[in-house]
Amino acid sequence: MKPQPLPPALTETDYSAGWRRLAIALALAVVAGLLIGYWYVVPRSAAWHRIEARPMSLEINGPGLLDAINRVVVTSRIQGFLKSIEVDRNDSVTRGQVLARLESIDLQNQLAAAQAQASAAALGITGSESERARAKAGFDRAKIEFERRTTLARTNVISPAELTTAESNFLQAQADMARAEAAIERSKAELLAQQANVKVLEARLADATITAPLDGVVISRERNPGDLLLPGANLMQVVELSTIIISARFDESARSAIKPGHPARIRFASDPTRVLTGRVLRLSRQVDQETREFTIDITLDALPESWAIGQRANVAVEAQSPAVAIGVPETFVTRLDGRAGVWLARSGRATWTPVALGYTSGTDIEVLRGLKAGDVVLSPVGRYSFEPIDLGEEVP
């Protein structure tokens, strides 16, 4: 291998130029370090918000289901085979409209027999009254004869035996009269019994025709013609449109904030982009012992076109805080290791402070614990020096 030539020797000028380049590089590195340190360590100006205690309009959210106050399960009061069903699901019905009919031939025959017996009982009263009139005539004759013979007996015109016979005939006529009166009362009682039986059979025959109990819409049908329908068995369900509500559930901590009449916004899971409006109708007087939730009924200003009972919805009630509360812009809230907190200005530095959050209030959010009136919170945009603080209790 051919030997390589040695590099030329460095001159004093070359050494000076190298030192100058090294010095410049070191100076630039120091300046860059200072700038980076300033960026990370020195606090900078930022948007801020001073905490004030004030009444707040709260947005309280909870799940809900579409329901109806007047939702009737239509059943039969008697047993029978379904002859026909006149309506189907989604049909509108009016009060008294025929919904279904049961086979009723047996009831019709029983009713005809009962009516005939009632007519016979009425004729029995007529016969008893005729018998009473005959007995009355005999009673009158016997009474007159007894009184005449009593007068004759005083003057000894007739014998005591004849007076005794007249008295016996009078008493017999009197008994016949009482018996005729009793027969009339029995006939009247028989007529009342038969008339009551007629009414019972008429009612049962009327029950064979099932009618709508209210104006509404049929939402379900459980039976078909030919089925044996037992008393109390579910035939169909009808709801009254004007009583359709949202039954929503909320944590019991919101009970003092929600009042009847508060406005509400509803989004159905089937169409989450559309917002419906309504108002709180009433609050239940019972809290679930396990979930610690209570329900409220919300009336809707308008029903969705594709409504269905049991439909899921998300409800946001616009309520007022029961007392003064502390709120902070929602954009100022950050999370560190899964915990919510804010950057709190203290002694010219930004300190991250954990907080417990409540309900939203427009662009603000309620702070339950962690802040007090007069505190200044900073926008989380940018970086600040910080040192964690201890609130003295665990803040979720």
Side-chain angles (χ1 to χ4, degrees), residues 43-361:
R44 297 177 289 112
S45 62
W48 58 276
H49 175 79
R50 185 178 298 278
I51 300 300
E52 296 179 358
R54 57 183 174 82
M56 295 182 62
S57 297
L58 306 178
E59 182 179 288
I60 305 176
N61 292 274
L65 295 175
L66 193 69
D67 202 352
I69 298 174
N70 291 345
R71 177 169 60 168
V72 179
V73 177
V74 179
T75 63
S76 175
R77 300 180 62 182
I78 62 174
Q79 178 176 316
F81 288 96
L82 272 173
K83 180 179 180 180
S84 65
I85 297 181
E86 309 296 333
V87 296
D88 207 343
R89 286 183 292 269
N90 299 338
D91 288 349
S92 296
V93 297
T94 57
R95 182 188 294 271
Q97 179 180 339
V98 175
L99 302 180
R101 302 179 191 274
L102 301 178
E103 295 288 352
S104 59
I105 297 299
D106 290 344
L107 287 175
Q108 292 175 4
N109 293 334
Q110 293 175 21
L111 177 59
Q115 289 172 335
Q117 291 174 347
S119 298
L123 292 176
I125 292 177
T126 301
S128 297
E129 288 176 343
S130 298
E131 182 63 24
R132 183 182 63 179
R134 186 193 64 78
K136 179 68 166 55
F139 172 79
D140 290 342
R141 287 195 304 269
K143 181 179 180 182
I144 293 172
E145 182 65 17
F146 175 64
E147 290 175 348
R148 187 180 69 83
R149 287 183 181 271
T150 299
T151 302
L152 293 174
R154 291 192 187 102
T155 58
N156 296 320
V157 176
I158 62 173
S159 64
E162 291 177 315
L163 178 60
T164 301
T165 300
E167 183 180 8
S168 177
N169 291 337
F170 173 67
L171 293 176
Q172 181 65 43
Q174 195 174 33
D176 292 343
M177 185 67 178
R179 187 164 47 251
E181 293 285 354
I184 290 177
E185 295 302 321
R186 284 196 302 271
S187 297
K188 288 181 178 180
E190 179 66 18
L191 177 60
L192 290 176
Q194 295 301 330
Q195 287 175 338
N197 190 32
V198 168
K199 290 181 179 180
V200 168
L201 291 172
E202 286 176 343
R204 294 187 63 190
L205 185 60
D207 289 338
T209 301
I210 302 173
T211 59
L214 46 78
D215 297 341
V217 173
V218 178
I219 63 170
S220 69
R221 197 190 86 179
E222 308 298 334
R223 297 290 187 270
N224 295 305
D227 288 349
L228 176 61
L229 193 62
L230 300 176
N234 186 352
L235 174 61
M236 62 183 65
Q237 289 191 46
V238 179
V239 299
E240 189 175 358
L241 292 181
S242 61
T243 67
I244 289 181
I245 58 169
I246 294 288
S247 179
R249 294 182 289 110
F250 296 94
D251 187 82
E252 63 179 340
S253 61
R255 187 172 182 85
S256 60
I258 300 177
K259 304 294 181 184
H262 280 170
R265 299 190 305 277
I266 301 98
R267 286 185 174 88
F268 285 96
S270 58
D271 188 7
T273 59
R274 183 183 180 188
V275 178
L276 300 176
T277 57
R279 290 194 173 274
V280 175
L281 174 63
R282 61 191 177 191
L283 286 70
S284 69
R285 293 291 182 181
Q286 185 175 4
V287 174
D288 189 277
Q289 294 299 312
E290 295 192 9
T291 64
R292 309 310 307 173
E293 293 177 330
F294 71 101
T295 61
I296 66 172
D297 293 338
I298 297 174
T299 58
L300 293 166
D301 295 333
L303 283 175
E305 294 181 0
S306 59
W307 65 269
I309 297 298
Q311 202 170 353
R312 291 184 298 118
N314 181 64
V315 178
V317 176
E318 299 176 14
Q320 291 290 325
S321 58
V324 292
I326 289 177
V328 65
E330 196 166 3
T331 56
F332 279 47
V333 178
T334 61
R335 292 192 176 272
L336 182 62
D337 296 331
R339 302 177 68 188
V342 295
W343 290 98
L344 183 62
R346 286 185 173 175
S347 302
R349 306 180 70 188
T351 303
W352 190 84
T353 303
V355 294
L357 301 178
Y359 300 106
T360 58
S361 176

